[in-house]
Amino acid sequence: MKKHIQKNIYKIALLFTICVAFLTFNVNANAQNDSNLIINGDFSSGLDSWTTFIADFDGVSADISVIDGEAVVANIEGAGAQVWHIQLNQILTADQVDALEMGQAYKIQFDARSNVEGRQLRSFFGEQDGGFASINTFDFALTTEMQTYETIFVVNSTFPLMKLGFEMGLSNDDVFIDNVSMMATEEEPAPPGELNLPVTFNDPDVDYGLFDFEGASSEIVVDPTDENNMVVRTIKPEGVPFFAGTTVGAPNGFATPIPFTADETNMSVRVWSPVAGVPIRLKVEDSEDPTISVETETIIEVAEEWVNLVFDFSNQAPGTEPINLNNNYNKATIFFDFTPPDPNPLERTFFWDDMAFGGEGVVNPPSMPVGFVASNMIGEDPVDSGEMFLAAGPNNVGTPGVEYRLFYALTANEVEDPFSATEYEFGTTPGDGGGVDAFGFRLAGLDPGTSYTFWLYQYNENTDLFSEPAVVEAISGGEGTSINDPREIVREFDLSQNYPNPFNPTTQIQYTLPESGHVRLEVFNMMGQRVATVINENISAGTHTVNFDATDLSSGIYLYRLQSGSETLTRKMTLIK
């Protein structure tokens, strides 16, 4: 009897142990399932617990529904102005907000796809009201296959009203979302990016955070003008929106905010454009709060040459917010040929490099007129007594708003400043427009048989800036040389890579001039500030070598620029101490 009782007690104890283990397993399983703070993340109950926002302005429209267990955003029209114009949100309940632990890391994870490659989708977690302060904002580039995406962050603040949202207002392409979760994690967020200004694209160990949207296509390539330099090539295809652009520093931004001050609101970017006269726009924003941004733009005046463009953010683009020095700006986006209407009419390829803080903030004057010659003959016929014929062009600009001004003085007077000489009142002679054809004009009222110096300027009527002058000496009313077609003038101009490079502290720079003329060789830091003038004088034609001593400079990358007449060449050199 005693053994029988003990045996039953043993069975009961065993059964109790099994029940406890079963209950513990289910409790743990339920706890694991309940750790997802998002309600109906698999959309099994349709859009229950989810809300939508579609801007009822700017012609924006879209359909948001659940199809086959996936949230589907389709039939989008009018997108592109702002990413937040189309949203799918879960507004957190009070219980969800209370469940957040300060200082705890959380992982947002979801599956998503689009009907096109590279379609942008932004996740936002933060304040639902007021200033919509962001705790975590992340941009994803979707593919046409369903993929799992995630972002990890630390909750360092909460708000009475909070949300997890998906923003997709920059594209008209479809978005499919499923299996959304937000759970506490022991994983640590990725450390802040080590990307900082200036951005040169030459370090293979740096993640430059290039992110294309609306059809732009960018990659880091060898500089087509300098095999020792790396640049970004951005292709803007035909048919994409005019606001297709490329972000550098996505998604975390620069490790250090852009140091704007009341006196320093400029940034600079070197750009190679296939066409002149198109606007280039630069936007900076807070990587954690996309509602904080400022945009400005400038016109690139030269085609098929590297140009250092300066962007002044104290002069914001129309319709955009002014700069606020209390804000954090740590991410930049560049837009090429930012010209409505939509879509982009032609495919164009741009190159860009050396994004830097600062810049001299000056507008580049037009190029020097080329092929400027003077004679007292027009073909086989002599000019009249006291007259002169001048031929100029091609004008090397090819943009509207350029006129010519001509000054002259007796050569014997040795006038140093052309503006102290006499301006010839022939009115303004428009440029030839395309920078292709030569043109000429006839001067009268000069002293017969007298030697004159003529200075011809290209004048930017929009900025009141002058080019460097083309200079020629000739005798009026006498026998002169026939006029050569300026297009037949052979022009070769070269700036070699410095040697040695890298260097410390001296290096040699070699350059070639096809003809004698005034030469400027200058050195700039990566913020566009001139740190040395190596040459500023008249130099004879031929190949020359000059020594550059950088004893007083700190280690870093520098640009050296050679200018002679209308020609300009720029190269990089590296100083290592």
Side-chain angles (χ1 to χ4, degrees):
M1 182 71 175
K2 183 177 181 181
K3 289 183 178 180
H4 180 72
I5 293 173
Q6 289 176 336
K7 187 173 182 180
N8 287 336
I9 292 174
Y10 174 77
K11 289 182 178 179
I12 293 171
L14 179 62
L15 180 62
F16 177 78
T17 301
I18 293 173
C19 290
V20 169
F22 178 78
L23 290 172
T24 301
F25 173 81
N26 279 281
V27 168
N28 289 339
N30 290 332
Q32 184 174 1
N33 291 333
D34 291 342
S35 64
N36 181 9
L37 293 176
I38 302 304
I39 302 172
N40 189 31
D42 60 0
F43 301 99
S44 58
S45 301
L47 288 177
D48 179 53
S49 300
W50 294 89
T51 63
T52 63
F53 173 83
I54 301 172
D56 56 355
F57 43 84
D58 292 343
V60 179
S61 63
D63 295 330
I64 302 180
S65 60
V66 173
I67 302 175
D68 297 330
E70 297 177 346
V72 179
V73 185
N75 301 320
I76 302 173
E77 294 184 1
Q82 294 288 347
V83 66
W84 55 268
H85 278 182
I86 301 174
Q87 302 178 28
L88 174 63
N89 301 314
Q90 181 156 133
I91 312 300
L92 271 58
T93 66
D95 289 340
Q96 286 174 295
V97 174
D98 290 342
L100 295 171
E101 298 180 37
M102 296 291 291
Q104 172 65 48
Y106 288 85
K107 177 191 291 186
I108 294 174
Q109 186 170 289
F110 60 93
D111 298 335
R113 64 184 173 92
S114 177
N115 60 330
V116 297
E117 293 286 335
R119 202 261 196 237
Q120 181 190 11
L121 175 66
R122 173 172 291 175
S123 69
F124 173 92
F125 182 72
E127 186 181 18
Q128 159 60 17
D129 204 357
F132 292 92
S134 169
I135 294 176
N136 178 258
T137 301
F138 207 93
D139 289 323
F140 302 89
L142 304 184
T143 69
T144 56
E145 299 292 331
M146 188 66 86
Q147 304 280 346
T148 299
Y149 301 89
E150 64 181 43
T151 176
I152 300 174
F153 59 95
V154 173
V155 171
N156 48 28
S157 60
T158 60
F159 305 92
L161 291 177
M162 302 186 68
K163 73 173 181 179
L164 168 65
F166 295 98
E167 301 177 351
M168 56 211 87
L170 291 182
S171 171
N172 289 326
D173 300 308
D174 298 346
V175 174
F176 303 81
I177 302 173
D178 198 5
N179 300 322
V180 184
S181 65
M182 177 177 166
M183 295 183 287
T185 180
E186 297 302 318
E187 299 179 56
E188 295 184 358
E194 293 302 318
L195 180 63
N196 261 319
L197 296 173
V199 179
T200 65
F201 305 110
N202 283 324
D203 190 340
D205 297 324
V206 171
D207 180 4
Y208 292 100
L210 293 179
F211 182 87
D212 295 310
F213 52 89
E214 287 302 328
S217 176
S218 300
E219 63 175 322
I220 299 175
V221 299
V222 175
D223 184 343
T225 66
D226 181 359
E227 62 182 11
N228 298 311
N229 184 41
M230 303 300 292
V231 300
V232 177
R233 178 183 65 202
T234 296
I235 300 174
K236 191 173 180 181
E238 177 184 358
V240 303
F242 72 90
F243 47 82
T246 303
T247 298
V248 59
N252 296 323
F254 306 127
T256 303
I258 304 168
F260 291 125
T261 67
D263 299 323
E264 293 286 344
T265 56
N266 289 350
M267 288 182 63
S268 62
V269 183
R270 280 203 318 130
V271 173
W272 187 101
S273 170
V275 292
V278 298
I280 312 295
R281 178 168 290 207
L282 191 64
K283 173 184 178 181
V284 294
E285 62 183 299
D286 186 337
S287 64
E288 292 295 324
D289 188 349
T291 65
I292 296 176
S293 67
V294 58
E295 303 176 29
T296 189
E297 63 183 43
T298 188
I299 303 294
I300 188 163
E301 301 285 0
V302 179
E304 299 184 344
E305 290 184 18
W306 282 103
V307 179
N308 190 55
L309 297 180
V310 176
F311 298 86
D312 183 1
F313 286 94
S314 67
N315 182 24
Q316 75 271 14
T320 67
E321 292 296 318
I323 191 169
N324 184 337
L325 299 178
N326 295 319
N327 287 339
N328 170 65
Y329 301 105
N330 69 333
K331 189 167 71 172
T333 299
I334 192 166
F335 306 85
F336 295 102
D337 195 3
F338 195 81
T339 308
D342 190 20
N344 192 53
L346 298 172
E347 177 171 300
R348 287 174 174 161
T349 299
F350 299 83
F351 297 90
W352 51 289
D353 194 9
D354 301 330
M355 179 180 288
F357 173 69
E360 295 181 352
V362 298
V363 180
N364 293 323
S367 304
M368 176 191 294
V370 297
F372 179 45
V373 294
S375 174
N376 54 26
M377 300 289 291
I378 303 179
E380 301 296 328
D381 301 321
V383 297
D384 294 335
S385 177
E387 291 189 348
M388 181 72 64
F389 182 81
L390 294 99
N395 69 21
N396 207 30
V397 174
T399 57
V402 174
E403 299 175 342
Y404 286 83
R405 292 181 68 179
L406 179 69
F407 296 82
Y408 69 97
L410 295 175
T411 304
N413 290 349
E414 298 180 350
V415 176
E416 294 184 1
D417 179 9
F419 292 105
S420 65
T422 302
E423 181 172 4
Y424 189 79
E425 298 296 339
F426 58 82
T428 57
T429 300
D432 63 315
V436 176
D437 298 321
F439 59 94
F441 40 91
R442 188 167 182 161
L443 284 68
L446 304 176
D447 293 336
T450 302
S451 178
Y452 284 90
T453 301
F454 298 91
W455 296 270
L456 181 66
Y457 286 83
Q458 283 185 160
Y459 167 58
N460 189 326
E461 63 183 11
N462 296 320
T463 60
D464 293 331
L465 289 179
F466 293 84
S467 68
E468 292 291 326
V471 184
V472 68
E473 294 182 8
I475 298 176
S476 63
E479 291 296 325
T481 57
S482 61
I483 299 172
N484 296 320
D485 187 339
R487 291 168 292 180
E488 297 176 357
I489 299 176
V490 178
R491 300 175 183 279
E492 294 181 357
F493 186 63
D494 184 60
L495 176 63
S496 300
Q497 184 65 52
N498 65 300
Y499 181 82
N501 186 47
F503 68 98
N504 177 28
T506 61
T507 188
Q508 292 185 332
I509 300 173
Q510 186 178 88
Y511 60 95
T512 300
L513 303 175
E515 58 186 24
S516 300
H518 188 266
V519 173
R520 289 180 67 91
L521 178 61
E522 299 169 304
V523 180
F524 298 84
N525 62 23
M526 296 307 294
M527 293 191 298
Q529 299 167 323
R530 184 188 298 107
V531 296
T533 299
V534 184
I535 300 174
N536 185 17
E537 58 184 296
N538 289 324
I539 301 293
S540 61
T543 299
H544 305 269
T545 302
V546 63
N547 290 320
F548 173 59
D549 189 340
T551 300
D552 296 332
L553 301 179
S554 58
S555 297
I557 299 174
Y558 293 87
L559 304 175
Y560 59 103
R561 183 177 69 187
L562 180 70
Q563 290 181 297
S564 180
S566 62
E567 304 282 357
T568 301
L569 290 174
T570 302
R571 284 185 175 270
K572 286 183 181 179
M573 59 183 173
T574 303
L575 172 62
I576 299 178
K577 291 187 174 180

